[in-house]
Amino acid sequence: MSRYRIAAQLEPGFERVLTPEACEFLVSLHDRFESERQRRLEQRVQLQQQLDREPRLSFLEETASVRAGDWKVAPIPADLQDRRVEITGPVDRKMVINALNSGARVFMADFEDSNSPTFQNCVQGQINLADANTGDLSFVSPEGKQYKLGDKPAVLLVRPRGWHLPEKHFLVDEQPMSGSLFDFGLYFFHNARVRLERGTGIYFYLPKMEHYLEARLWNEVIVFAQQALGVPQGSVRATVLIETITAAFQMDEILYELRDHSAGLNCGRWDYIFSFIKKFRRHPHFLLPDRAQVTMDKHFLASYVKLLIQTCHRRGIHAMGGMAAQIPIKNDAAANDAAMEKVRRDKQREVDAGHDGTWVAHPGLIALAQDIFDKGMAAANQIGAAPPAGEVTAEDLLRVPEGTRTEAGLRVNIDVGLQYVEAWLRGNGCVPIHNLMEDAATAEISRTQVWQWQQHRASLEDGRTVTPDLVTEIAEQELKRLIASAPAGHRFELAGKLFLEMMVATDSPEFLTSVAYDHL
């Protein structure tokens, strides 16, 4: 008898990737690594309890020799040398084709924050990526428009789900397996040899790490997978998103753990802000202003960028910049010009700081970002350039930005959160809201910031106090407005219930996606 069970309806075509051999490989990943994954998740809980008592973080004494050591990561593969513009998005078929054809150097196919993890989305995404790797990917829209891969597609990287997320539809001995291992395992099993035969490697983005031991776990998974399938060691390369405040203190250590498989670090800035709020949520002196005021020029974020670039370039690898979430505004030229100017300033800041590339969420931003990096970065990257000068201290990374808290800021947090969760519940994890392409990270900032304000009874600029009653009042107003214009089949009632509960709960849930996943 097989030890695995698929607790979902198998749609036509799913058998292409959910083969018995692939499923047995998933079982082997589960057997080997699930216990350690649970230990790492328990470590997160213990650290949060410590931070709830005392909001103190520092560079680890136990790894001082790693930070001081004179080591480099493995040499960069040829097709990852130049990553000046990367586009990201979910793994639906049309999106994958358009992103690979977009003109960006890299496409990050995302099973995580921009993907609502319905079983259909996750498995169909695996089919789409398998077809992309063989060059057989095509799509015909309901209107009859045909899409197919061009001659020079972007280099494909894949982001699996974070360590905390399960895949409840794939059970091993009736236990849900890790969403990380499910996404990684299926992709690796079906695509590793194909990509090597085509002269490239197997490339990943790894999200949401909070400790270097989580990077060690990923490296052990990668080594095991290469051994199990007879793939040469070093065929996998992974870029780690530094999107938690705890990981910011362990950048050297994370690179060191993955040094034979590293493709650098990335400034996952939206999740980083979310993590900053979440980790210090119990302490009123860590109250942040309106999230629109928490910009990359704030000292704690500028310090995080500086440290990431210093660390990566010292170790001979890429330091990637963050996301431009703006999307072109077709019906308002003045608003579009203002949005594009924000993108221009942000990308100029990144190339001037020393980043080796940047992210965009929409193909319409690629030319703008490409032009800025072409002018500011003559070589394939800036790894050999002089790094930013000056030491980054723990105080720099923990300095709370000044600013104001307003009803408008409170209201937009609630509005964006409601809209995003409703779309996510319908299976869409990448949502245009107010001319920005939002994913789970901005919804998480919105949620935790409202929770933080009401928990500590923050004062708004107009003198009012943020209380659960005020949050509830505004949420009901926004929900009523959104329902009034929503199409049939919307899920705003459930989204409103879940999002409000999370905003005014006694304790803030770790991730909204973990709470909402039960309702997919």
Side-chain angles (χ1 to χ4, degrees), residues 11 65 80 98 116 172 198 201 243 312 335 377 433 495 504 519:
E11 298 184 14
S65 62
L80 285 182
N98 287 341
S116 175
V172 181
R198 294 172 75 91
E243 49 191 352
C312 288
M377 190 174 77
I433 303 173
V504 301
H519 300 274

Side-chain angles (χ1 to χ4, degrees), residues 47 79 116 224 240 245-246 277 308 310 334 337 436 439 443 479:
L47 177 58
D79 56 354
S116 175
F224 175 84
V240 172
I245 182 63
T246 52
I277 298 170
L308 186 140
Q310 288 176 336
D337 289 345
L436 297 172
D439 68 8
L479 193 61

